Amino acid sequence: MATASSAGYPESGRSRAARAERHASTETKPAFKSTEFFVYVAAVVAVLVASAVVGGDASRVDRFPADQAWFYVTLLTVGYMISRGLAKCGSREPTDRTTAT
């Protein structure tokens, strides 16, 4: 039978010092250290440069207008956010420090 602590929670059998110290970990490495971040930035730059370079033809029709370019940048951003979310889902990268709770 477990004994109740002063807070009303059952004791786990570990000492208070052992419970107070836990190892900290991050989900994954920071986003700016991942290759997907650099691919994302390169893709955004490529879309915006392509939109600026591709101009109108003889009849002055813009074949790649800015609103379409920003739509593609938005799609790239959503894709990048989903990929970071999947990367963080359940993976752990241990750190060297410990934190007290």
Side-chain angles (χ1 to χ4, degrees), residues 75-100:
L75 291 178
L76 285 168
T77 302
V78 169
Y80 176 73
M81 291 170 61
I82 289 171
S83 73
R84 286 304 297 165
L86 291 174
K88 288 181 173 233
C89 183
S91 64
R92 298 254 181 227
E93 179 182 287
T95 60
D96 294 336
R97 67 180 191 275
T98 58
T99 60

Side-chain angles (χ1 to χ4, degrees), residues 28-50:
T28 59
K29 62 184 169 184
F32 62 87
K33 289 184 176 180
S34 68
T35 55
E36 64 192 13
F37 175 74
F38 294 111
V39 170
Y40 165 73
V41 170
V44 167
V45 169
V47 167
L48 295 177
V49 167

Side-chain angles (χ1 to χ4, degrees), residues 8-62:
Y9 298 107
E11 294 289 333
S12 66
R14 297 186 321 178
S15 69
R16 180 169 284 203
R19 284 192 311 266
E21 183 179 316
R22 66 180 171 96
H23 294 283
S25 66
T26 59
E27 289 277 334
T28 59
K29 62 184 169 184
F32 62 87
K33 289 184 176 180
S34 68
T35 55
E36 64 192 13
F37 175 74
F38 294 111
V39 170
Y40 165 73
V41 170
V44 167
V45 169
V47 167
L48 295 177
V49 167
S51 177
V53 170
V54 174
D57 56 4
S59 63
R60 306 300 299 157
V61 176
D62 193 1

